[in-house]
mmCIF file of all heavy atoms in Angstrom:
data_model
loop_
_atom_site.group_PDB
_atom_site.id
_atom_site.type_symbol
_atom_site.label_atom_id
_atom_site.label_comp_id
_atom_site.label_asym_id
_atom_site.label_seq_id
_atom_site.Cartn_x
_atom_site.Cartn_y
_atom_site.Cartn_z
ATOM 1 N N ARG A 44 3.021 7.969 -2.425
ATOM 2 C CA ARG A 44 2.419 7.066 -1.465
ATOM 3 C C ARG A 44 3.411 6.057 -0.963
ATOM 4 O O ARG A 44 4.394 6.424 -0.399
ATOM 5 C CB ARG A 44 1.197 6.373 -2.056
ATOM 6 C CG ARG A 44 0.000 7.280 -2.135
ATOM 7 C CD ARG A 44 -1.120 6.448 -2.670
ATOM 8 N NE ARG A 44 -2.425 7.149 -2.633
ATOM 9 C CZ ARG A 44 -3.520 6.562 -3.117
ATOM 10 N NH1 ARG A 44 -3.456 5.391 -3.648
ATOM 11 N NH2 ARG A 44 -4.647 7.219 -3.023
ATOM 12 N N ALA A 45 3.168 4.793 -1.194
ATOM 13 C CA ALA A 45 3.994 3.733 -0.676
ATOM 14 C C ALA A 45 5.440 3.730 -1.168
ATOM 15 O O ALA A 45 5.744 4.390 -2.185
ATOM 16 C CB ALA A 45 3.326 2.412 -1.034
ATOM 17 N N GLY A 46 6.206 2.919 -0.471
ATOM 18 C CA GLY A 46 7.615 2.842 -0.868
ATOM 19 C C GLY A 46 8.257 1.470 -0.693
ATOM 20 O O GLY A 46 9.387 1.225 -1.169
ATOM 21 N N VAL A 47 7.576 0.584 0.082
ATOM 22 C CA VAL A 47 8.176 -0.656 0.386
ATOM 23 C C VAL A 47 7.618 -1.777 -0.450
ATOM 24 O O VAL A 47 6.423 -2.092 -0.372
ATOM 25 C CB VAL A 47 7.974 -0.992 1.927
ATOM 26 C CG1 VAL A 47 8.452 -2.421 2.232
ATOM 27 C CG2 VAL A 47 8.736 0.010 2.797
ATOM 28 N N VAL A 99 13.041 -0.705 -1.470
ATOM 29 C CA VAL A 99 12.441 0.645 -1.396
ATOM 30 C C VAL A 99 12.471 1.295 -2.777
ATOM 31 O O VAL A 99 13.534 1.455 -3.375
ATOM 32 C CB VAL A 99 13.167 1.500 -0.320
ATOM 33 C CG1 VAL A 99 12.556 2.926 -0.357
ATOM 34 C CG2 VAL A 99 12.941 0.911 1.042
ATOM 35 N N TRP A 180 -1.330 9.876 9.769
ATOM 36 C CA TRP A 180 0.124 10.040 9.510
ATOM 37 C C TRP A 180 0.267 11.247 8.643
ATOM 38 O O TRP A 180 -0.429 11.448 7.638
ATOM 39 C CB TRP A 180 0.609 8.880 8.720
ATOM 40 C CG TRP A 180 1.110 7.637 9.448
ATOM 41 C CD1 TRP A 180 0.753 7.407 10.781
ATOM 42 C CD2 TRP A 180 1.912 6.608 9.002
ATOM 43 N NE1 TRP A 180 1.395 6.172 11.084
ATOM 44 C CE2 TRP A 180 2.065 5.683 10.029
ATOM 45 C CE3 TRP A 180 2.523 6.324 7.721
ATOM 46 C CZ2 TRP A 180 2.802 4.525 9.874
ATOM 47 C CZ3 TRP A 180 3.251 5.165 7.610
ATOM 48 C CH2 TRP A 180 3.414 4.280 8.658
ATOM 49 N N LEU A 194 15.404 1.582 7.319
ATOM 50 C CA LEU A 194 14.173 2.270 7.813
ATOM 51 C C LEU A 194 14.172 2.188 9.335
ATOM 52 O O LEU A 194 14.517 1.169 9.912
ATOM 53 C CB LEU A 194 12.943 1.551 7.247
ATOM 54 C CG LEU A 194 12.383 2.029 5.932
ATOM 55 C CD1 LEU A 194 13.415 1.979 4.825
ATOM 56 C CD2 LEU A 194 11.149 1.304 5.532
ATOM 57 N N TYR A 196 11.571 2.581 12.523
ATOM 58 C CA TYR A 196 10.198 2.667 13.067
ATOM 59 C C TYR A 196 10.404 3.024 14.545
ATOM 60 O O TYR A 196 10.921 2.215 15.299
ATOM 61 C CB TYR A 196 9.453 1.342 12.957
ATOM 62 C CG TYR A 196 8.998 0.943 11.535
ATOM 63 C CD1 TYR A 196 9.886 0.428 10.599
ATOM 64 C CD2 TYR A 196 7.717 1.171 11.174
ATOM 65 C CE1 TYR A 196 9.453 0.142 9.336
ATOM 66 C CE2 TYR A 196 7.231 0.854 9.923
ATOM 67 C CZ TYR A 196 8.097 0.299 8.975
ATOM 68 O OH TYR A 196 7.663 -0.068 7.750
ATOM 69 N N LEU A 205 8.516 7.532 11.556
ATOM 70 C CA LEU A 205 9.155 6.610 10.613
ATOM 71 C C LEU A 205 10.104 7.338 9.729
ATOM 72 O O LEU A 205 9.704 8.322 9.071
ATOM 73 C CB LEU A 205 8.067 5.893 9.760
ATOM 74 C CG LEU A 205 8.479 4.989 8.591
ATOM 75 C CD1 LEU A 205 9.429 3.884 9.037
ATOM 76 C CD2 LEU A 205 7.247 4.456 7.867
ATOM 77 N N SER A 207 12.052 6.818 6.425
ATOM 78 C CA SER A 207 12.232 6.000 5.202
ATOM 79 C C SER A 207 12.994 6.841 4.187
ATOM 80 O O SER A 207 13.618 7.883 4.499
ATOM 81 C CB SER A 207 10.910 5.555 4.683
ATOM 82 O OG SER A 207 10.994 4.735 3.537
ATOM 83 N N MET A 208 13.060 6.346 2.943
ATOM 84 C CA MET A 208 13.840 7.046 1.969
ATOM 85 C C MET A 208 13.370 6.719 0.589
ATOM 86 O O MET A 208 12.535 5.862 0.379
ATOM 87 C CB MET A 208 15.336 6.594 2.096
ATOM 88 C CG MET A 208 15.472 5.111 1.863
ATOM 89 S SD MET A 208 17.017 4.440 2.516
ATOM 90 C CE MET A 208 16.767 4.525 4.271
ATOM 91 N N ARG A 209 13.874 7.463 -0.404
ATOM 92 C CA ARG A 209 13.537 7.191 -1.763
ATOM 93 C C ARG A 209 14.748 7.035 -2.677
ATOM 94 O O ARG A 209 14.774 6.341 -3.661
ATOM 95 C CB ARG A 209 12.665 8.267 -2.390
ATOM 96 C CG ARG A 209 11.270 8.276 -1.878
ATOM 97 C CD ARG A 209 10.458 7.031 -2.385
ATOM 98 N NE ARG A 209 9.071 6.995 -1.886
ATOM 99 C CZ ARG A 209 8.765 6.434 -0.756
ATOM 100 N NH1 ARG A 209 9.619 5.789 -0.019
ATOM 101 N NH2 ARG A 209 7.489 6.407 -0.383
ATOM 102 N N ARG A 215 12.142 10.109 3.106
ATOM 103 C CA ARG A 215 10.705 10.126 3.290
ATOM 104 C C ARG A 215 10.470 9.902 4.814
ATOM 105 O O ARG A 215 11.110 9.022 5.418
ATOM 106 C CB ARG A 215 10.073 9.003 2.526
ATOM 107 C CG ARG A 215 8.527 8.802 2.703
ATOM 108 C CD ARG A 215 7.750 9.353 1.533
ATOM 109 N NE ARG A 215 6.348 8.990 1.598
ATOM 110 C CZ ARG A 215 5.388 9.924 1.602
ATOM 111 N NH1 ARG A 215 5.712 11.220 1.711
ATOM 112 N NH2 ARG A 215 4.104 9.572 1.616
ATOM 113 N N TYR A 217 7.427 9.929 8.157
ATOM 114 C CA TYR A 217 6.032 9.961 8.578
ATOM 115 C C TYR A 217 6.013 10.305 10.101
ATOM 116 O O TYR A 217 6.815 9.765 10.861
ATOM 117 C CB TYR A 217 5.311 8.629 8.375
ATOM 118 C CG TYR A 217 5.250 8.245 6.909
ATOM 119 C CD1 TYR A 217 6.155 7.324 6.366
ATOM 120 C CD2 TYR A 217 4.216 8.746 6.156
ATOM 121 C CE1 TYR A 217 6.006 6.943 5.023
ATOM 122 C CE2 TYR A 217 4.068 8.345 4.809
ATOM 123 C CZ TYR A 217 4.995 7.456 4.251
ATOM 124 O OH TYR A 217 4.922 7.031 2.911
ATOM 125 N N PRO A 288 -0.944 2.036 7.235
ATOM 126 C CA PRO A 288 0.305 1.881 6.493
ATOM 127 C C PRO A 288 1.496 1.312 7.300
ATOM 128 O O PRO A 288 2.545 1.079 6.780
ATOM 129 C CB PRO A 288 0.603 3.253 6.000
ATOM 130 C CG PRO A 288 -0.101 4.215 6.894
ATOM 131 C CD PRO A 288 -1.345 3.437 7.374
ATOM 132 N N THR A 289 1.356 1.144 8.626
ATOM 133 C CA THR A 289 2.525 0.749 9.501
ATOM 134 C C THR A 289 3.217 -0.515 8.965
ATOM 135 O O THR A 289 4.380 -0.668 9.118
ATOM 136 C CB THR A 289 2.060 0.624 10.906
ATOM 137 O OG1 THR A 289 1.034 1.504 11.172
ATOM 138 C CG2 THR A 289 3.202 0.842 11.889
ATOM 139 N N GLY A 290 2.411 -1.458 8.395
ATOM 140 C CA GLY A 290 3.040 -2.652 7.953
ATOM 141 C C GLY A 290 3.525 -2.681 6.517
ATOM 142 O O GLY A 290 4.096 -3.642 5.991
ATOM 143 N N ALA A 291 3.308 -1.501 5.830
ATOM 144 C CA ALA A 291 3.740 -1.342 4.420
ATOM 145 C C ALA A 291 3.067 -2.404 3.530
ATOM 146 O O ALA A 291 3.808 -2.979 2.660
ATOM 147 C CB ALA A 291 5.200 -1.330 4.304
ATOM 148 N N LYS A 292 1.852 -2.689 3.621
ATOM 149 C CA LYS A 292 1.223 -3.833 2.979
ATOM 150 C C LYS A 292 0.268 -3.472 1.839
ATOM 151 O O LYS A 292 -0.020 -4.342 0.975
ATOM 152 C CB LYS A 292 0.459 -4.720 3.980
ATOM 153 C CG LYS A 292 1.336 -5.482 4.921
ATOM 154 C CD LYS A 292 2.004 -6.617 4.144
ATOM 155 C CE LYS A 292 3.176 -7.234 4.941
ATOM 156 N NZ LYS A 292 4.470 -7.090 4.231
ATOM 157 N N TYR A 380 6.781 -8.949 7.464
ATOM 158 C CA TYR A 380 7.200 -7.680 6.798
ATOM 159 C C TYR A 380 7.684 -7.980 5.352
ATOM 160 O O TYR A 380 7.286 -7.262 4.454
ATOM 161 C CB TYR A 380 8.327 -7.020 7.615
ATOM 162 C CG TYR A 380 8.561 -5.590 7.229
ATOM 163 C CD1 TYR A 380 7.793 -4.576 7.757
ATOM 164 C CD2 TYR A 380 9.569 -5.282 6.340
ATOM 165 C CE1 TYR A 380 8.000 -3.243 7.405
ATOM 166 C CE2 TYR A 380 9.768 -3.957 5.938
ATOM 167 C CZ TYR A 380 8.979 -2.959 6.483
ATOM 168 O OH TYR A 380 9.191 -1.667 6.099
HETATM 169 C C1 DHB B 402 7.058 3.722 3.691
HETATM 170 C C2 DHB B 402 5.663 3.686 3.957
HETATM 171 C C3 DHB B 402 5.197 2.838 4.912
HETATM 172 O O1 DHB B 402 3.851 2.769 5.167
HETATM 173 C C4 DHB B 402 6.017 2.020 5.629
HETATM 174 O O2 DHB B 402 5.545 1.204 6.569
HETATM 175 C C5 DHB B 402 7.420 2.082 5.354
HETATM 176 C C6 DHB B 402 7.887 2.933 4.390
HETATM 177 C C7 DHB B 402 7.546 4.648 2.624
HETATM 178 O O3 DHB B 402 6.727 5.371 2.038
HETATM 179 O O4 DHB B 402 8.728 4.674 2.374
#
Side-chain angles (χ1 to χ4, degrees):
R44 283 186 171 176
V47 172
V99 174
W180 273 17
L194 271 57
Y196 287 79
L205 171 58
S207 182
M208 61 199 71
R209 286 293 178 271
R215 175 105 171 118
Y217 297 99
T289 328
K292 288 289 165 240
Y380 195 83

